[in-house]
């Protein structure tokens, strides 16, 4: 069933360079935003690059009744609007020929219809019983869908063989117990190796490049430890607010929305040991070890090592924006955080004593995701008493790239040092913007490469840490500082680093 | 007599940030090219930056009879043509007011006239008996000038106090014994601390920046040793030929002209240990240790570890150029090398087993001076079997800057790695071209900072190594391969590196 048998075992995972097998992609939640804005445009761009299998079909599934034509039209318009490259009707028709739609209500027979439809596609388009079920619905529907797939026998290869895989969009659970419950339900039906949990950050080119940067080059890894690194800063700043998603955000908050998944993934990739190989499990084994090494939450320490806050009204890019409490569907006395900053440690040999500072927030002055390593000072000051240590910043978005800040001699006879930067810009270096994360992730799921997906133990280790934090927060006085929209968060966050003698980077 | 007594002892050497004391600069060889093309334009630019002392005078000395006015006019025209910044008459007049000329023949009394002239300047311009004697003559005149300065009492502070320093242009000797003899003569008259031996490479901003780069930053030094560096390549390539200086070049050759001084200085700055401080002697102590650690020349090994060659006719930049043997003032059967490549080792703890490859040549495809560290391969290949190790290149000229080559993920779903570069460009980063080397060096000599000048033991250690090489060459069969002008030297040079499993960088 695997397609890599004839390959060198090293040539798996990130090194995969194979053709995709024919298959059908079944998108649950096909009438939702994600399908129209991300998934189908991603398919269009994969088709443009001739990366989709020769036999390929897409079945949209949702509650609403809709004709194939109506679905195809909606997807065409979505692609026209959201594709990263311009859409041509000619190229679109290659995708459109394989699109169809199936409505499913509460009637369990609906999945029988879906099964027959898929068998029919296998016959007509030669998709060989290979099915990729993509759950782009609200997570509350996950368990039901999985159970019904099982009842309809769709969790197993079709009569003519093939494979069945399932892709789960985030969030995976709301806390540790709900995540465990969902994982349990899913794993009763699908083997863990057939489960693809999406964290779209892992599909970003620069996130993948972090592994290349660290492990394909000999000169960074020797510096990548407590001997040379003073501390690490991870920032996920958004300038947008909650964009009308008050109902979702009230349930989630920034900690669940950003930290538990994206930021912990960035932390793992930054801190992990070199894996034995690039096989999916070799990498995920190392990532989960980072989460296991996170310094356990101790109630007394949480106050000094975490900051939560909520945005107040302010100005961003010259425009007035409302405070969180004035957003639609937000409780007037909401204590949901829109900003969180954490100071934590990876208690292992490599990172002993090196703080990892994480911050994520909405309504920041700008959108920027980056990982920055601040190096220790020189051991002996020859030139100056002022300390201007080196910094290596990996910008995930926007303007993906790498910047190394170091001291240089300013020109002229005066003995002035001046910080300068070596720069590498992903876009300009390769003459094109990198592909969208979803292109990579959908293709990998089709290829059966789960390297860039989250394994069950990762999700649960991450929730375990977040749960412990949230329990302490819940037991506290609930004080929640405000910060003016368009600023870098509350004073409390600056104070947290100041107590360690450090500063947040100005971005 | 020193001006640094009140300063923190750390604030010496490269960190010097003081005003210059009034003084008179006496240029011997004032009718020569160097004075008109480099020295006076450098003074003009120092004046423009207000770096010259308030009381300042320049006395040109040469054999030829000339009026002050004629000298001033010649210097003005030279400055107009060669100054790195445009000359204005107003700024020129500030220099011109302190210019005068004294002719000296073979009459020892001429130096008495010079002495009286200098005393007079001290009275008129408040230069306080401080004299800087700059020997820009052919080196054959050095000993005579020094001796006559002594006879005229000019090697000692004037009656009213002050200091007397001497600047020697290269070359310092033609081999070890002539260098020793000259140094002996000079040191009988001037204390070593008052002797400033010029290697104008040390005045280049990017050469000085090498010290800053290595020792003001914490992240390069840990990599700067045999554990991480595979080998080092130093290149000094010129596209010009001998430019009508056949008589000089026949005596010198590339080894004396480039390797013994400039390249060995670059080697020292690249390989040296961190100095205790930036004091001139602290740095020079470390540099001389590198020369002392150079693997001794063993006759049997010279054939395999050195290549000399001579340029034949060829084409550079679309223009036909003659071979060395057809240049004016070159013997038709000359065996003078215009290209030399060496493979050597710095036999100390840091550099054990790391080859240093040096190459210098005329009539190369372009002008480029650079130091490149090629790092070892990654210890474990995760991504690829092809080896593309990291390289750090410090470009001395032109386009001064630093480039770090590393592997990145090429965008897209295919698992391709691609070498990319992080770049720092000195000119663009600071919005101006760096000052000329001579500006820095003249100012330092005025300030009494000898950090960027060559100490006697450096010169002699360098000659000692070169002498040993030349003795082996002289005893050999004198075979001298040719290389076509406009190419990167003879095949023998590539073969030398190939035997070590390495390649010269393509520049």
């Amino acid at each position: 069933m695997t397609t890599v048998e004839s390959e060198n075992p090293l040539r798996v995972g990130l090194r995969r360079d194979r053709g995709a097998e024919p298959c059908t992609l079944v998108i649950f939640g096909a009438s939702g935003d994600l399908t129209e804005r991300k998934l189908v445009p991603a398919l269009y761009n994969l088709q443009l690059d001739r990366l989709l299998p020769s036999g390929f079909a897409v079945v949209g599934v949702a509650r609403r009744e809709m004709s194939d034509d109506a679905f195809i039209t909606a997807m065409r318009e979505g692609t026209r609007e959201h594709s990263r490259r311009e859409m041509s009707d000619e190229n679109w028709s290659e995708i459109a020929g394989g699109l169809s739609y199936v409505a499913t209500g509460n009637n369990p027979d609906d999945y029988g219809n879906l099964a027959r439809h898929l068998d029919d596609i296998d016959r007509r388009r030669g998709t060989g019983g290979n099915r990729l079920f993509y759950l782009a619905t609200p997570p509350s529907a996950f368990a039901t869908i999985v159970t019904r797939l099982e009842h309809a026998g769709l969790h197993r290869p079709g009569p003519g063989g093939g494979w069945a895989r399932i892709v789960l969009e985030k969030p995976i659970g709301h806390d540790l117990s709900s995540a465990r419950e969902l994982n349990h339900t899913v794993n009763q039906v699908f083997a863990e190796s057939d489960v693809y949990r999406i964290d779209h950050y892992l599909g970003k080119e620069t996130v993948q490049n972090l592994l290349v940067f660290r492990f394909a080059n000999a000169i960074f890894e020797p510096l990548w430890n407590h001997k040379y690194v003073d501390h690490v800063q991870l920032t996920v700043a958004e300038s947008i607010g909650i964009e009308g998603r008050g109902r979702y955000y009230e349930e989630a908050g920034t900690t669940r929305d950003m930290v538990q998944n994206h930021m912990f993934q960035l932390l793992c990739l930054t801190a992990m040991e070199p894996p034995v190989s690039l096989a999916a499990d070799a990498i995920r084994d190392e990532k989960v070890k980072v989460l296991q090494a996170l310094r356990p939450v101790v109630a007394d320490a949480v106050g000094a090592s975490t900051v939560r806050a909520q945005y107040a009204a302010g100005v961003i890019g010259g425009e007035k924006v409302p405070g969180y409490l004035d957003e639609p569907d937000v409780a007037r006395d909401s204590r949901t955080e829109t900003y969180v900053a954490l100071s934590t440690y990876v208690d292992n040999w490599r990172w002993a004593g090196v703080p990892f500072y994480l911050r994520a927030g909405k309504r920041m002055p700008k959108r920027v995701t980056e990982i920055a390593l601040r190096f220790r000072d020189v051991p002996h000051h020859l030139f100056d008493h002022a300390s201007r240590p080196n910094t290596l910043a990996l910008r995930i978005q926007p303007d993906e790239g790498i910047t190394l800040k170091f001291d240089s001699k300013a020109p002229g006879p005066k003995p002035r040092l001046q910080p300068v930067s070596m720069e590498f810009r992903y876009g300009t270096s390769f003459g094109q913007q990198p592909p969208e994360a979803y292109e990579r992730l959908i293709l990998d799921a089709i290829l059966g490469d789960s390297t860039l997906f989250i394994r069950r133990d990762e999700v649960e280790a991450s929730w375990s840490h977040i749960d412990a934090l949230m329990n302490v927060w819940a037991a506290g006085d609930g004080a929640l500082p405000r910060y003016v929209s368009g600023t870098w968060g509350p004073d409390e966050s600056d104070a947290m680093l100041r107590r360690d003698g450090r500063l947040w980077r100005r971005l």
Side-chain angles (χ1 to χ4, degrees), chain A residues 252-294:
Chain A
T254 301
T255 310
R256 289 187 175 96
D257 188 50
M258 278 290 172
V259 180
Q260 182 269 331
N261 38 53
H262 306 324
M263 294 205 83
F264 274 13
Q265 284 296 318
L266 296 182
L267 171 65
C268 287
L269 293 171
T270 306
M272 68 187 267
E273 297 296 321
V276 171
S277 77
L278 293 175
D281 278 334
I283 291 178
R284 301 193 294 186
D285 286 348
E286 294 303 336
K287 280 163 59 190
V288 81
K289 278 166 57 184
V290 174
L291 295 170
Q292 289 162 350
L294 276 185

Side-chain angles (χ1 to χ4, degrees), chain A residues 50-122:
Chain A
R50 300 283 169 259
L51 291 165
L52 290 178
S54 53
F56 185 66
V58 180
V59 179
V61 179
R63 286 174 172 272
R64 168 191 321 171
E65 291 292 337
M66 203 179 343
S67 70
D68 284 352
D69 281 352
F71 177 64
I72 292 169
T73 303
M75 293 304 109
R76 187 185 63 213
E77 291 317 302
T79 302
R80 192 184 303 286
E81 193 174 341
H82 301 291
S83 166
R84 91 184 143 92
R85 289 177 292 193
E86 211 180 330
M87 200 185 83
S88 79
D89 286 337
E90 193 188 335
N91 287 314
W92 170 253
S93 67
E94 296 186 32
I95 288 278
L99 283 183
S100 57
Y101 182 81
V102 172
T104 57
N106 279 326
N107 185 343
D109 285 352
D110 294 343
Y111 278 66
N113 292 337
L114 176 61
R116 281 184 294 278
H117 184 64
L118 293 176
D119 287 344
D120 184 45
I121 289 175
D122 284 341

Side-chain angles (χ1 to χ4, degrees), chain A residues 303-318:
Chain A
S305 64
T306 70
V307 174
R308 287 180 308 153
Q310 200 179 68
Y311 62 79
V315 175
I316 295 184

Side-chain angles (χ1 to χ4, degrees), chain A residues 38-59:
Chain A
K38 294 289 183 186
L39 304 186
V40 178
L43 292 172
Y44 175 78
N45 280 281
L46 286 171
Q47 177 63 37
L48 219 53
D49 292 332
R50 300 283 169 259
L51 291 165
L52 290 178
S54 53
F56 185 66
V58 180
V59 179

Side-chain angles (χ1 to χ4, degrees), chain A residues 333-406:
Chain A
D333 61 349
S334 170
R335 291 197 156 162
T336 301
E337 82 281 0
T338 63
Y339 174 96
V340 61
L342 310 176
S343 157
T344 187
Y345 290 83
V346 177
D347 281 333
N348 63 17
W349 200 277
R350 178 186 289 258
W351 295 115
V354 178
F356 284 74
Y357 300 113
L358 282 60
R359 59 175 164 169
K362 289 191 170 290
R363 290 290 190 217
M364 305 271 106
K366 59 179 173 182
R367 169 172 170 258
V368 51
T369 299
E370 70 146 46
I371 298 162
L373 279 75
R374 177 88 171 186
F375 291 94
R376 289 182 185 279
D377 202 358
V378 290
H380 174 56
H381 283 94
L382 281 168
F383 289 90
D384 207 299
H385 299 94
S387 161
R388 278 169 301 197
N390 303 128
T391 306
L392 180 72
L394 298 114
R395 179 71 69 101
I396 307 296
Q397 63 185 16
D399 303 327
E400 293 88 341
I402 299 169
T403 301
L404 180 63
K405 211 166 108 186
F406 61 99

Side-chain angles (χ1 to χ4, degrees), chain A residues 476-496:
Chain A
D477 62 3
L480 194 66
R482 300 284 162 81
Y483 60 99
V484 175
S485 286
T487 68
W488 285 105
D491 294 343
E492 285 81 351
S493 181
D494 295 325
M496 181 175 86

Side-chain angles (χ1 to χ4, degrees), chain A residues 1-296:
Chain A
M1 216 172 82
T2 171
T3 61
V4 296
E5 284 165 350
S6 64
E7 294 195 307
N8 182 313
L10 272 176
R11 293 179 57 82
V12 295
L14 281 182
R15 298 211 55 251
R16 190 174 301 268
D17 194 7
R18 299 173 290 116
E21 287 180 286
C23 68
T24 304
L25 171 64
V26 185
I27 305 176
F28 290 86
S31 59
D33 253 17
L34 186 73
T35 306
E36 173 189 324
R37 298 169 67 105
K38 294 289 183 186
L39 304 186
V40 178
L43 292 172
Y44 175 78
N45 280 281
L46 286 171
Q47 177 63 37
L48 219 53
D49 292 332
R50 300 283 169 259
L51 291 165
L52 290 178
S54 53
F56 185 66
V58 180
V59 179
V61 179
R63 286 174 172 272
R64 168 191 321 171
E65 291 292 337
M66 203 179 343
S67 70
D68 284 352
D69 281 352
F71 177 64
I72 292 169
T73 303
M75 293 304 109
R76 187 185 63 213
E77 291 317 302
T79 302
R80 192 184 303 286
E81 193 174 341
H82 301 291
S83 166
R84 91 184 143 92
R85 289 177 292 193
E86 211 180 330
M87 200 185 83
S88 79
D89 286 337
E90 193 188 335
N91 287 314
W92 170 253
S93 67
E94 296 186 32
I95 288 278
L99 283 183
S100 57
Y101 182 81
V102 172
T104 57
N106 279 326
N107 185 343
D109 285 352
D110 294 343
Y111 278 66
N113 292 337
L114 176 61
R116 281 184 294 278
H117 184 64
L118 293 176
D119 287 344
D120 184 45
I121 289 175
D122 284 341
R123 275 187 300 273
R124 284 190 295 112
R125 299 187 66 86
T127 41
N130 296 322
R131 285 111 188 227
L132 181 63
F133 299 104
Y134 196 116
L135 273 52
T137 63
S140 55
F142 287 178
T144 310
I145 294 171
V146 168
T147 311
R148 289 183 178 176
L149 285 174
E150 184 185 21
H151 288 161
L154 286 169
H155 62 303
R156 291 210 197 88
W163 42 255
R165 298 178 189 140
I166 188 164
V167 180
L168 303 176
E169 265 292 335
K170 78 158 192 172
I172 305 297
H174 185 76
D175 53 20
L176 179 57
S177 77
S178 59
R180 272 191 182 144
E181 196 182 311
L182 174 62
N183 284 331
H184 179 72
T185 304
V186 171
N187 282 163
Q188 277 192 313
V189 178
F190 290 92
E192 177 63 20
S193 60
D194 290 325
V195 181
Y196 293 74
R197 292 178 195 81
I198 288 238
D199 184 326
H200 73 268
Y201 262 53
L202 293 184
K204 290 178 188 289
E205 287 284 334
T206 31
V207 172
Q208 296 160 45
N209 196 30
L210 188 51
L211 291 178
V212 175
F213 187 77
R214 290 189 57 195
F215 303 129
N217 295 294
I219 59 172
F220 303 112
E221 202 50 25
L223 303 168
W224 213 267
N225 58 59
H226 69 98
K227 270 186 240 150
Y228 302 106
V229 176
D230 178 75
H231 70 278
V232 179
Q233 291 191 15
L234 273 64
T235 302
V236 179
E238 296 177 290
S239 59
I240 57 171
I242 55 169
E243 303 283 281
R245 298 191 306 145
R247 210 159 293 143
Y248 162 73
Y249 215 79
E250 281 283 273
E251 290 288 311
T254 301
T255 310
R256 289 187 175 96
D257 188 50
M258 278 290 172
V259 180
Q260 182 269 331
N261 38 53
H262 306 324
M263 294 205 83
F264 274 13
Q265 284 296 318
L266 296 182
L267 171 65
C268 287
L269 293 171
T270 306
M272 68 187 267
E273 297 296 321
V276 171
S277 77
L278 293 175
D281 278 334
I283 291 178
R284 301 193 294 186
D285 286 348
E286 294 303 336
K287 280 163 59 190
V288 81
K289 278 166 57 184
V290 174
L291 295 170
Q292 289 162 350
L294 276 185
R295 182 167 297 182

